[in-house]
Short mmCIF file of all heavy atoms in Angstrom, two decimals:
data_model
loop_
_atom_site.label_atom_id
_atom_site.label_comp_id
_atom_site.label_asym_id
_atom_site.label_seq_id
_atom_site.Cartn_x
_atom_site.Cartn_y
_atom_site.Cartn_z
N ALA A 893 41.40 163.78 5.87
CA ALA A 893 42.20 164.20 7.03
C ALA A 893 42.32 165.72 7.10
O ALA A 893 42.24 166.33 8.17
CB ALA A 893 43.58 163.55 6.94
N ARG A 894 42.51 166.34 5.92
CA ARG A 894 42.62 167.80 5.90
C ARG A 894 41.30 168.44 6.32
O ARG A 894 41.29 169.42 7.08
CB ARG A 894 43.02 168.26 4.50
CG ARG A 894 43.18 169.78 4.36
CD ARG A 894 43.84 170.12 3.03
NE ARG A 894 43.97 171.55 2.89
CZ ARG A 894 43.14 172.33 2.19
NH1 ARG A 894 42.10 171.77 1.55
NH2 ARG A 894 43.32 173.62 2.11
N HIS A 895 40.21 167.90 5.83
CA HIS A 895 38.91 168.45 6.22
C HIS A 895 38.70 168.34 7.73
O HIS A 895 38.13 169.25 8.37
CB HIS A 895 37.79 167.72 5.49
CG HIS A 895 37.71 168.06 4.03
ND1 HIS A 895 36.90 167.40 3.15
CD2 HIS A 895 38.36 169.01 3.30
CE1 HIS A 895 37.04 167.93 1.94
NE2 HIS A 895 37.92 168.90 2.00
N ALA A 896 39.14 167.22 8.28
CA ALA A 896 38.99 167.05 9.74
C ALA A 896 39.79 168.10 10.50
O ALA A 896 39.32 168.67 11.50
CB ALA A 896 39.43 165.64 10.13
N ARG A 897 41.02 168.36 10.02
CA ARG A 897 41.85 169.38 10.69
C ARG A 897 41.21 170.77 10.56
O ARG A 897 41.17 171.55 11.52
CB ARG A 897 43.25 169.41 10.08
CG ARG A 897 44.09 168.20 10.38
CD ARG A 897 45.55 168.46 10.07
NE ARG A 897 45.74 168.91 8.68
CZ ARG A 897 45.87 168.10 7.64
NH1 ARG A 897 45.84 166.79 7.83
NH2 ARG A 897 46.05 168.57 6.42
N LEU A 898 40.75 171.09 9.35
CA LEU A 898 40.17 172.41 9.14
C LEU A 898 38.83 172.58 9.84
O LEU A 898 38.43 173.70 10.18
CB LEU A 898 40.02 172.67 7.64
CG LEU A 898 41.32 172.77 6.85
CD1 LEU A 898 41.04 172.83 5.36
CD2 LEU A 898 42.12 174.01 7.29
N SER A 899 38.13 171.47 10.05
CA SER A 899 36.82 171.54 10.72
C SER A 899 36.96 171.71 12.23
O SER A 899 36.03 172.19 12.89
CB SER A 899 36.01 170.28 10.42
OG SER A 899 35.72 170.17 9.03
N ALA A 900 38.09 171.28 12.77
CA ALA A 900 38.27 171.34 14.22
C ALA A 900 38.22 172.79 14.70
O ALA A 900 38.88 173.68 14.16
CB ALA A 900 39.61 170.69 14.60
N GLY A 901 37.43 173.03 15.73
CA GLY A 901 37.39 174.35 16.34
C GLY A 901 36.43 175.33 15.69
O GLY A 901 36.31 176.47 16.15
N LEU A 902 35.77 174.93 14.59
CA LEU A 902 34.80 175.84 13.98
C LEU A 902 33.59 176.00 14.88
O LEU A 902 33.06 175.02 15.42
CB LEU A 902 34.37 175.32 12.61
CG LEU A 902 35.44 175.33 11.52
CD1 LEU A 902 34.89 174.73 10.23
CD2 LEU A 902 35.98 176.74 11.27
N GLY A 903 33.13 177.23 15.05
CA GLY A 903 32.02 177.48 15.95
C GLY A 903 30.66 177.21 15.31
O GLY A 903 30.56 177.06 14.08
N PRO A 904 29.62 177.13 16.11
CA PRO A 904 28.27 176.90 15.57
C PRO A 904 27.76 178.15 14.85
O PRO A 904 28.33 179.24 14.96
CB PRO A 904 27.45 176.61 16.82
CG PRO A 904 28.17 177.36 17.91
CD PRO A 904 29.63 177.29 17.57
N LEU A 905 26.70 177.98 14.13
CA LEU A 905 26.06 179.12 13.49
C LEU A 905 25.49 180.07 14.55
O LEU A 905 25.03 179.62 15.61
CB LEU A 905 24.93 178.64 12.56
CG LEU A 905 25.36 177.84 11.33
CD1 LEU A 905 24.13 177.32 10.60
CD2 LEU A 905 26.23 178.67 10.40
N PRO A 906 25.53 181.36 14.29
CA PRO A 906 24.99 182.31 15.29
C PRO A 906 23.48 182.19 15.40
O PRO A 906 22.80 181.70 14.49
CB PRO A 906 25.42 183.67 14.72
CG PRO A 906 25.57 183.44 13.25
CD PRO A 906 26.08 182.03 13.11
N ALA A 907 22.97 182.65 16.49
CA ALA A 907 21.52 182.65 16.70
C ALA A 907 20.84 183.51 15.64
O ALA A 907 21.35 184.56 15.25
CB ALA A 907 21.19 183.17 18.11
N GLY A 908 19.69 183.06 15.19
CA GLY A 908 18.95 183.82 14.19
C GLY A 908 19.55 183.72 12.80
O GLY A 908 19.30 184.60 11.96
N TRP A 909 20.32 182.67 12.54
CA TRP A 909 20.95 182.49 11.21
C TRP A 909 19.87 182.51 10.13
O TRP A 909 18.88 181.79 10.21
CB TRP A 909 21.68 181.16 11.19
CG TRP A 909 22.31 180.81 9.85
CD1 TRP A 909 21.84 179.92 8.95
CD2 TRP A 909 23.50 181.35 9.30
NE1 TRP A 909 22.66 179.86 7.86
CE2 TRP A 909 23.71 180.73 8.04
CE3 TRP A 909 24.42 182.30 9.74
CZ2 TRP A 909 24.80 181.02 7.23
CZ3 TRP A 909 25.52 182.59 8.94
CH2 TRP A 909 25.70 181.96 7.69
N ALA A 910 20.07 183.37 9.13
CA ALA A 910 19.02 183.57 8.13
C ALA A 910 19.50 183.31 6.71
O ALA A 910 18.86 183.78 5.76
CB ALA A 910 18.49 185.01 8.24
#
Side-chain angles (χ1 to χ4, degrees):
R894 181 169 179 261
H895 288 171
R897 290 195 305 274
L898 294 172
S899 296
L902 292 178
L905 293 174
W909 177 256

